[in-house]
Each structure stands twice: as C-alpha cells, then as structure tokens.
Amino acid sequence: VIEVKRELTNLLQKLSVEFEQNPNDPLLAKTYADVIREYLRSGFLDTQSTKQYRIMYIQILQQLIDLKEASEMTFQEKINMELTLNNPIAAEETAMQFKKQFPLCEEAYLSTLSIYFTTRSYDKLSAELSTLKASPITLSNKALTTVRYWAEVNQNNELVSHK
C-alpha cells in the first residue's frame, strides 16, 4: 500500500511539472486528470489533500474543455466535483458549456436538471424541463424515469408555493 502511494505521488509530481510546462497538450492533460482521479479514489488522502486535489482536478478538466478535448464524461466529472465542493454556480456554468458542446446528449440536460433539483431552483428546473421536452432528444428509460420524477416534484412544489 505504501509503495503504491509513493508511486502515485511520484507520478503526480512528474505529471504536474510536465503539465505546467505544456498546459495545452491534451494527451498530457488527460493523463494527468486520470491519475488525479485514481488518486482521489485511492483513499490515501486526508481531508485537506482531497480538497486540494479536487480543485486541481477541476482545473485540469476545465483545461480539457477549453482545448475542445472534453468528452461527455469530462463534463460530468467536472460538474460532480464542483457539486462535491459545494459550488453549484460553477457546476451550472459547466452544465451550460456541456449542453452547448453536446446539444443532443441527454446527460447534459440531466446534469443541469440535477443541479437545479439539488439547489432547489424550481423555476430553473421548470424551465429546463420545458427545454428538454421541446428538444429532439430521445431519452433512455432511466432518464425518462428521472425526468418524470423531477417533473412531479417540481409540480408539487409549484402547487405548495402558490397556496
């Protein structure tokens, strides 16, 4: 275990230096992000280090987005990490970028809906549900079930707030 941690730490240090010298290298950024993700999942980090690596991870994912090298998973990871760090404003901005880059991806809309649901932004949730319903996207069964749930919760919230 100690050996694995040491190897990961050394690899991270090496990648950190390389990334600092070549921040526009998409392959290097992807590799660096993968290693940080694995390090975060390893359980080797204390609370403060975990937070620092999450922030670093978000920065590298943003670099991939800026380089137009982001996959759908890149956006999802960044949004989840921003929500984990209790930054729903940044998560919403990322979700907007996600929808812009992948306009026909159901996950882009589901991520946005999730943010609004989590933050109890019911007006935004309602508007996003309407946008999704008007879009040409065909939802999977899982996504359809989730959207129906959020629509019901949103409708119940509207009924309560208008009493």
Side-chain angles (χ1 to χ4, degrees):
V1 174
I2 293 170
E3 182 65 22
V4 172
K5 182 179 179 184
R6 188 179 64 73
E7 287 176 15
L8 265 175
T9 303
N10 289 341
L11 181 57
L12 276 171
Q13 288 172 346
K14 178 181 176 258
L15 288 170
S16 175
V17 170
E18 289 179 22
F19 184 71
E20 202 171 298
Q21 294 170 348
N22 301 303
N24 295 325
D25 181 340
L27 183 59
L28 181 59
K30 286 177 186 175
T31 301
Y32 193 25
D34 289 344
V35 172
I36 289 176
R37 183 178 55 247
E38 291 308 311
Y39 201 39
L40 285 166
R41 291 179 180 167
S42 72
F44 294 141
L45 299 168
D46 60 45
T47 305
Q48 187 59 34
S49 296
T50 299
K51 184 176 181 181
Q52 290 172 337
Y53 277 102
R54 284 176 175 159
I55 291 168
M56 208 181 320
Y57 186 51
I58 288 170
Q59 292 168 343
I60 296 164
L61 295 177
Q62 184 60 53
Q63 183 67 9
L64 285 168
I65 292 168
D66 293 344
L67 292 170
K68 305 287 189 235
E69 294 288 334
S71 65
E72 293 173 16
M73 185 59 75
T74 303
F75 282 99
Q76 291 173 323
E77 288 274 326
K78 186 169 184 279
I79 290 166
N80 290 336
M81 200 58 61
E82 288 165 337
L83 289 174
T84 299
L85 290 175
N86 199 24
N87 193 347
I89 294 169
E92 183 178 6
E93 290 170 5
T94 301
M96 293 303 129
Q97 289 178 306
F98 190 7
K99 284 181 4 186
K100 186 175 182 182
Q101 192 156 341
F102 295 98
L104 298 178
C105 172
E106 77 177 21
E107 285 301 325
Y109 288 88
L110 292 176
S111 295
T112 307
L113 288 165
S114 176
I115 293 163
Y116 296 150
F117 182 77
T118 302
T119 59
R120 294 187 166 105
S121 301
Y122 294 113
D123 290 341
K124 289 181 178 181
L125 180 68
S126 182
E128 191 66 21
L129 285 167
S130 296
T131 301
L132 179 57
K133 287 176 186 174
S135 77
I137 296 172
T138 303
L139 297 174
S140 66
N141 283 337
K142 181 181 175 195
L144 192 56
T145 301
T146 303
V147 168
R148 284 179 178 151
Y149 171 75
W150 282 331
E152 184 178 321
V153 167
N154 190 53
Q155 184 178 17
N156 290 340
N157 183 63
E158 288 176 358
L159 292 174
V160 170
S161 64
H162 288 97
K163 282 187 177 179

